[in-house]
Amino acid sequence: MSDRYTVISADCHAGADLLDYRPYLDKRYHDDFDDWAATYVNPHEDLLADSADRNWNSERRLAELESDGIVAEVVFPNTIPPFFPSSSLMAPPATAEEFERRWAGLRAHNRWLADFCAAAPGRRAGVFQILLGDVDEAVREIRRAAAAGLRGGLMLPGTPPGCGLPELYSRAYDPIWAACAELGVPVNHHAGSASPPLGDEPAARAVFMVETTWFSHRALWHLVFGGAFRRHPGLRLVLTEQGSGWIPGVLDMLDYYHGRLVAAASGSGTAEARFGAGLAAGTGRPPSAVWHDHCYVGASFMRPHEVPLRDRIGVDRIMWGSDYPHDEGTYPYTREGLRYACADVPRAELTALLGGNAARVYGFDLGLLDPIAARVGPTVAEIAEPLHEPPADATSPLFARGASVRVW
């Protein structure tokens, strides 16, 4: 047995430099792209900084991840695909023509991502993008992306209030769930894409921080109460960069409502009966049981107070992530972050959290990755040594004392 951990980050981000998307667009969109790109103003500071090329510079990326002890990554989008006004899955299009162009932009990103993953064989699982406004086209793109080798699966957009789309519990999306279950494609729901626009008032950023993860958590109870997992037993849902400490309490809450409403619907005709009508037939088992069979958490920069909850979450459900190349990620202090949060976690459990679970969900070949980890991975002895003082210049919330108090 190696004395090093094989670390797979279940949450990293990448995308092409803006103009580099052009060759990946169908030619009929090239003139439109030139016009759009000439006036586009990037709103994201990290995509304007000198470090922006971490999103697309394959060699730099491999070198920095290896220096941080990471041998493979699940790659979520980060840069702006063609024809989008701000971020990739928000801001509803105003016209059918705009909707068509956005689809073209997402296909271009997915094609670029397939090439980016192919540049590091076996070390990247790319997460491809769709839109929910055309379910048939979404299914076609799922099949195209899976055939192109994007093993990271689907990035599920949110349905924020006011977006005009059916809620995620709707059976309108059954063809999407069916295709993902058939192809073994994980459905990933990343924080940030489900929040409604909040405007530009000074309080907006604080309110966004309070609400954004909750809006992302909604996908869990929508799919559970909507019966998606019962109708599609092969469906898997991954909730990424939403924290993990909330999961035990939410599962308790969902089980409570499930039991209460099912009992009311089969009972004496109380006023609550109508809220539970059909719930037992639609969902089957309690939500916590559904979680432990179908759901996972991409636990980005898992904090010290979350780690003791791992048994309640499910050690086989947790996949650690570094959030590279974001400022809130653990780079270049992943080893220190693991010591700070996970020093007392038994080796077998940490082996699963840091790589084994992600290998199973996303299809990474540990036979390929273990030899790389034997060269660059953090040692078991190193991570077992507690870190009491975080690095002075670390920017990850993992090290924020107010957010990382242990709860035993």
Side-chain angles (χ1 to χ4, degrees), residues 137-284:
E137 181 58 28
V139 171
R140 284 190 286 271
E141 188 60 22
I142 290 167
R143 295 190 180 280
R144 278 194 292 262
L150 290 175
R151 296 181 291 107
L154 163 71
M155 182 167 173
L156 176 66
T159 55
C163 71
L165 293 170
E167 296 284 2
L168 289 177
Y169 59 69
S170 171
R171 291 200 179 200
Y173 302 123
D174 264 9
I176 293 175
W177 315 143
C180 289
E182 173 197 340
L183 297 170
V185 168
V187 174
N188 305 275
H189 193 53
H190 194 283
S193 72
S195 302
L198 293 172
D200 299 319
E201 294 296 320
R205 288 193 176 186
V207 172
F208 175 83
M209 284 296 294
V210 171
E211 295 182 347
T212 185
T213 52
W214 182 86
F215 276 108
S216 298
H217 300 343
R218 293 175 77 224
L220 173 61
W221 50 84
H222 276 237
L223 268 65
V224 168
F225 287 147
F229 299 106
R230 186 166 195 182
R231 294 192 301 277
H232 309 284
L235 185 64
R236 294 174 295 165
L237 175 67
V238 183
L239 301 173
T240 298
E241 202 176 335
Q242 304 175 26
S244 59
W246 60 276
I247 293 169
V250 165
L251 292 179
D252 287 346
M253 180 266 290
L254 296 179
D255 279 355
Y256 165 74
Y257 276 106
H258 180 270
R260 171 178 160 183
L261 295 177
V262 167
S266 59
S268 58
T270 65
E272 280 192 343
R274 66 185 184 276
F275 292 100
L279 188 62
T283 62

Side-chain angles (χ1 to χ4, degrees), residues 16 29 33 60 116 145 181 206 224 226 228 238 248 253 256 280 287 318-319 321 324 327 365 368 399:
Y29 295 107
F33 175 80
R60 175 179 183 174
F116 186 69
V224 168
V238 183
M253 180 266 290
Y256 165 74
I318 301 169
M319 301 180 291
Y324 176 93
D327 287 344
D365 180 1
L368 170 71
F399 296 110

Side-chain angles (χ1 to χ4, degrees), residues 69-94:
I70 297 169
V71 299
E73 56 176 329
V74 179
V75 185
F76 286 86
N78 199 43
T79 62
I80 309 303
F83 307 122
F84 280 79
S86 54
S87 62
S88 58
L89 296 177
M90 299 168 66

